[in-house]
Amino acid sequence: MREFAAGAGLLGRGLLLVLRSPKILGLGLLPALIAGLLYAAALAALIAYVDDLSATVTWFADDWSEVSRNLTRVLAGVALIGLGGLFGVLTFTAVTLLIGDPFYEKISGLVEARYGGVPDEVEVSLGRSLARSLVDSLRLIGLSILFGIPLFVAGFIPVVGQTVVPVIGATIGGWLLAVELTGVPFQRRGQRLRHRRAALRGNRPLALGFGVAVFACFLIPLGAVLVMPAAVVGGTLLARRSLGLPIEITTVRSL
């Protein structure tokens, strides 16, 4: 629990750094704002058509009594919105990181410099960085779908679907967000997704604490847009901690 709390604290440290640095705040908000507008439109469309979608996915209840049919479709609507929210939270980070790759690369670099730099840094071209980010993001989105479908089905279970399933969703979502948000620091060291996952598995409570905190903030309206710069900073700190590098200031440098 101490490590879990420390992981959540990394997001808090990221938020403090962002609030003290207009440069980081400006670099981080623009890509998140663009992605946020796109996702807000998608969520509005989902809510607008949720009744029709609920009826479509519960076709088997057409001949049931009105009470049973309506209850099933209400549960289906809740599950659809919950699933859409889960996919939105997970894919938002991937899409935003792709849109703002140069911006977040700069933010992560500033944070690394503040805490001692990267002695073994590997130069990666912008095109190659974008290609790697796209491949890694598609893999993670695929995992989100893989886990999301069973969670969607479990959402139909009375009580359990509204209590246990959201907790499981937050845990899985938090882990995937931690993996996504540490991508840039690991790429800077020439390491790929498999290296990232191995390092985070060795610090699982820390990674989950950070990821679940980000996940919870992303569920708040506009939270994903406003918290994204802090999440990138926190992800860089998480990567350094997972690699055994200092996350206390060793170089006095303004961000």
Side-chain angles (χ1 to χ4, degrees):
M1 289 302 297
R2 186 181 296 111
E3 284 294 288
F4 186 91
L10 293 178
L11 179 61
R13 290 181 60 176
L15 183 59
L16 287 176
L17 281 173
V18 168
L19 293 177
R20 292 171 181 171
S21 173
K23 181 190 297 186
I24 288 182
L25 185 61
L27 284 172
L29 280 181
L30 182 58
L33 181 60
I34 294 171
L37 291 173
L38 294 174
Y39 275 80
L43 179 59
L46 174 61
I47 293 174
Y49 291 99
V50 70
D51 290 340
D52 293 337
L53 291 172
S54 298
T56 299
V57 300
T58 58
W59 53 268
F60 52 85
D62 287 346
D63 297 329
W64 293 5
S65 67
E66 183 177 356
V67 173
S68 298
R69 182 173 63 250
N70 289 341
L71 176 60
T72 300
R73 288 179 175 169
V74 167
L75 291 175
V78 171
L80 282 169
I81 292 175
L83 182 64
L86 176 62
F87 284 165
V89 168
L90 297 175
T91 59
F92 175 87
T93 305
V95 171
T96 305
L97 289 174
L98 285 174
I99 293 173
D101 188 77
F103 300 94
Y104 296 133
E105 176 74 32
K106 179 67 174 177
I107 291 174
S108 180
L110 289 170
V111 175
E112 296 261 34
R114 180 181 177 88
Y115 292 97
V118 185
D120 54 345
E121 184 170 359
V122 175
E123 291 293 333
V124 180
S125 66
L126 177 59
R128 189 175 180 185
S129 175
L130 286 171
R132 285 184 176 180
S133 296
L134 177 60
V135 171
D136 288 351
S137 295
L138 288 175
R139 287 177 180 173
L140 291 169
I141 289 172
L143 286 174
S144 302
I145 295 172
L146 180 65
F147 288 115
I149 292 174
L151 289 174
F152 168 71
V153 175
F156 286 95
I157 304 174
V159 182
V160 173
Q162 291 74 52
T163 55
V164 177
V165 171
V167 173
I168 295 174
T171 302
I172 294 173
W175 173 257
L176 294 177
L177 284 174
V179 174
E180 283 189 84
L181 288 164
T182 51
V184 171
F186 277 88
Q187 283 192 30
R188 186 176 290 116
R189 293 164 173 82
Q191 299 188 29
R192 300 298 302 276
L193 179 60
R194 64 180 182 277
H195 304 111
R196 205 187 321 165
R197 292 198 312 222
L200 293 179
R201 276 198 298 268
N203 297 269
R204 193 184 300 274
L206 186 77
L208 280 175
F210 170 73
V212 170
V214 174
F215 185 90
C217 288
F218 278 14
L219 292 177
I220 301 171
L222 295 179
V225 174
L226 299 176
V227 174
M228 190 64 188
V232 172
V233 174
T236 302
L237 295 176
L238 173 61
R240 290 184 65 85
R241 173 76 180 273
S242 299
L243 292 168
L245 297 173
I247 56 173
E248 302 301 328
I249 297 176
T250 59
T251 302
V252 179
R253 177 179 295 191
S254 174
L255 293 180

